[in-house]
Amino acid sequence: MCLPFYPQITPILADYFQGGPLGVGRSVCLPFPSADCCWWFFRRSVAARLRAACVRQFPPPLLFLFHPQNPKKTMADFSLLIKPASGDCNLRCRYCFYLPKRELFGPGAHRMSAKVLEAMTRKFLSQPMSLHSFGWQGGEPTLMGVDFFQQARACQRRHGRAGGRIANALQTNGTLLDAAWGRFLAQEQFLVGISIDGPAELHDQSRVYGDGRGSHAEVMRGLAVLREHRVEHNVLTLVSHANEDHAETVYNYLGELGVTYQQYIECVEFAPDGQRRPYALSPGKWGEFLCRIFDLWYPQDTRRVSIRLFDSILSRLLTGVPTICSMSGDCRNYFVIEHNCEVYPCDFQVRPELRLGNILTTDFAALQKLEKYRRWGRKKNPHSATCEACRFLPLCMGDCPKNRRRGQSYLCEDWQLFYQHSIGRFEELAAALGAEWQAKNVQKWPHSQK
């Protein structure tokens, strides 16, 4: 699941960046337990674990301070990933995995109706959760136009409960953003993720229009709109064959743009015969890319630049709870709502055999109880003997199932390379953060010293 994010991981990390507290209680739109869950877990463990572990610099083995599985979470906690225009898009990115999904829903334009929007919103907001996160994705969700999203916000206000929190995040290619979008997104406090794969010479190799033209110039215009209207945003970079050898170029370019919230996603795609797609990452390149990004980030940017994967690693080390679904032990973290009301467990797995139901005729409580959904959740648990023997299992958790072949991740060696290269420094940073947080906050809970 690729959505805009803010590093609202734990209270510890709220003081992590020089800019002050992050997330401000509304910007989490992640497919995993919210900061509230991490907050609870940390408060319960601060005396027993961090005073004994962080202050003494995390005696080894750090990775096994917490059980490899995630703390049990209430299945009522989930978010929505909504496809209001299905796979429809004004671009034809060469690596897009979702564009072919349009074939499942027949020819013509695919647009969510007011009826589906109303039912989805009403039923979601009836769930007893402290935070309701709506993630709007595609395809390209801005094809729906500002009016649709104004209706969405009206539905949320109509069905939201007094005192409840609602978060909206929008992932876009940025090419259709204009002043009207800027005003709306700022006024309604949307968090926006915009896709940038690097400078034009890298970005335009993959992110193109139907006629082959690159989209970089239009994306930069869209980024300018977000900044002009002070819309909270971050950048999603897909690491593919086009930019896998250019970690320094990509990182430095985002730095030149002033992007301090970054998300790197691996492009792993296979043909029906099991062969790697030509645009996908080459073997070994993902681990190498991450190592190079880490080496650029660690010396001087740890308190300035948020990288989603790195934030999740720190959260896992500090609290036992990661913040991205590939690091979890269960895939039941969100529901995908397609434009036509159909519900699926994952946007990488929108397939007829995994269709869970129809949001017009069922509700989320019933969906969560489906045996099909429970079986889906259990698929995340790695069963490979290699995984069970791996020191890094608590961080990798066998990787996303979409990346697995014959029970093991295609990126297994890449993840091992990266963690072997970086884990010692992550441990040091986590220990420092834990000690800093404890020094600042331990007086708030005198009982934690007992």
Side-chain angles (χ1 to χ4, degrees):
M1 175 179 178
C2 306
L3 274 176
F5 75 103
Y6 262 86
Q8 181 181 302
I9 298 172
T10 67
I12 304 172
L13 299 188
D15 298 321
Y16 180 38
F17 294 88
Q18 295 177 354
L22 301 169
V24 200
R26 73 152 192 85
S27 52
V28 169
C29 195
L30 300 174
F32 200 66
S34 68
D36 295 332
C37 175
C38 299
W39 174 253
W40 174 87
F41 189 88
F42 181 75
R43 285 188 64 176
R44 289 289 300 273
S45 63
V46 63
R49 282 202 168 106
L50 286 189
R51 186 167 62 241
C54 288
V55 177
R56 293 202 297 267
Q57 297 299 303
F58 282 119
L62 169 67
L63 295 182
F64 299 103
L65 284 174
F66 304 101
H67 191 273
Q69 297 296 325
N70 297 306
K72 182 180 292 186
K73 73 185 184 77
T74 303
M75 281 313 300
D77 294 330
F78 64 94
S79 59
L80 295 188
L81 180 59
I82 306 156
K83 306 279 190 173
S86 190
D88 294 2
C89 188
N90 62 319
L91 298 185
R92 290 296 180 269
C93 298
R94 295 193 168 100
Y95 50 51
C96 183
F97 75 94
Y98 210 79
L99 190 66
K101 301 297 183 185
R102 299 181 305 162
E103 299 173 5
L104 295 175
F105 308 112
H110 305 92
R111 300 291 184 268
M112 181 173 283
S113 68
K115 181 180 180 181
V116 173
L117 176 64
E118 179 79 19
M120 173 190 71
T121 304
R122 174 175 53 81
K123 293 180 179 182
F124 184 45
L125 292 179
S126 70
Q127 291 291 117
M129 298 189 294
S130 60
L131 174 67
H132 292 83
S133 295
F134 293 78
W136 306 91
Q137 197 198 48
E140 178 49 47
T142 60
L143 287 174
M144 298 298 296
V146 174
D147 288 349
F148 171 84
F149 285 93
Q150 289 174 334
Q151 293 175 36
R153 284 294 292 128
C155 283
Q156 292 173 0
R157 284 189 285 268
R158 188 159 55 248
H159 297 293
R161 292 175 297 170
R165 292 184 298 152
I166 295 174
N168 284 282
L170 178 80
Q171 182 64 41
T172 177
N173 61 39
T175 61
L176 299 177
L177 297 178
D178 57 17
W181 273 110
R183 289 189 296 270
F184 168 78
L185 294 169
Q187 178 180 340
E188 299 296 343
Q189 296 185 302
F190 271 59
L191 174 64
V192 176
I194 188 168
S195 296
I196 303 174
D197 284 359
E201 63 269 21
L202 298 177
H203 179 100
D204 286 346
Q205 289 187 45
S206 301
R207 302 193 64 80
V208 298
Y209 289 93
D211 60 6
R213 290 182 297 116
S215 62
H216 186 269
E218 287 80 5
V219 174
M220 292 299 101
R221 180 188 52 74
L223 181 62
V225 168
L226 296 177
R227 289 178 167 169
E228 178 184 354
H229 293 273
R230 298 181 179 272
V231 177
E232 293 185 70
H233 62 276
N234 54 65
V235 165
L236 186 153
T237 298
L238 193 73
V239 183
S240 66
H241 185 66
N243 58 4
E244 63 187 13
D245 291 320
H246 302 282
E248 292 82 3
T249 299
V250 172
Y251 188 80
N252 291 334
Y253 180 69
L254 295 182
E256 292 169 5
L257 292 177
V259 175
T260 54
Y261 300 102
Q262 303 173 10
Q263 180 177 184
Y264 298 95
I265 301 294
E266 72 278 12
C267 181
V268 178
E269 295 291 336
F270 300 95
D273 63 1
Q275 297 299 306
R276 178 181 63 88
R277 297 279 190 184
Y279 51 76
L281 280 160
S282 305
K285 291 297 184 178
W286 176 238
E288 180 183 319
F289 186 94
L290 288 177
C291 288
R292 291 160 70 180
I293 292 291
F294 180 85
D295 287 345
L296 293 166
W297 173 80
Y298 188 81
Q300 58 189 10
D301 287 344
T302 59
R303 305 302 178 103
R304 188 182 67 85
V305 176
S306 164
I307 296 176
R308 188 186 185 193
L309 171 63
F310 297 176
D311 291 348
S312 189
I313 292 169
L314 290 169
S315 180
R316 179 63 161 152
L317 297 179
L318 283 162
T319 71
V321 182
T323 57
I324 56 178
C325 57
S326 62
M327 290 175 66
S328 78
D330 193 307
C331 279
R332 292 171 294 172
N333 300 305
Y334 66 97
F335 288 107
V336 174
I337 311 295
E338 255 291 348
H339 75 290
N340 65 345
C341 75
E342 293 183 356
V343 184
Y344 298 86
C346 173
D347 63 327
F348 291 116
Q349 306 293 338
V350 174
R351 309 197 308 262
E353 62 270 26
L354 286 175
R355 179 181 177 274
L356 299 175
N358 178 329
I359 201 57
L360 294 178
T361 59
T362 190
D363 58 33
F364 291 107
L367 290 169
Q368 288 180 316
K369 295 176 183 177
L370 290 174
E371 179 57 29
K372 180 189 289 189
Y373 192 49
R374 292 174 177 173
R375 286 198 306 269
W376 165 253
R378 291 193 292 267
K379 287 176 67 69
K380 182 63 172 71
N381 188 36
H383 299 290
S384 162
T386 302
C387 289
E388 295 297 337
C390 181
R391 177 188 176 216
F392 303 119
L393 177 61
L395 294 171
C396 171
M397 291 307 297
D399 203 4
C400 177
K402 82 174 183 66
N403 294 340
R404 295 179 188 169
R405 286 296 177 272
R406 293 180 292 278
Q408 184 167 313
S409 172
Y410 171 79
L411 300 174
C412 180
E413 293 182 2
D414 295 76
W415 287 118
Q416 291 193 44
L417 173 67
F418 169 62
Y419 284 123
Q420 288 167 0
H421 179 77
S422 62
I423 193 58
R425 285 171 285 180
F426 273 124
E427 290 173 351
E428 292 174 1
L429 182 56
L433 289 170
E436 290 170 14
W437 187 90
Q438 187 183 37
K440 290 180 181 179
N441 294 277
V442 73
Q443 296 303 318
K444 295 181 182 180
W445 301 295
H447 63 276
S448 69
Q449 293 295 299
K450 296 178 182 178

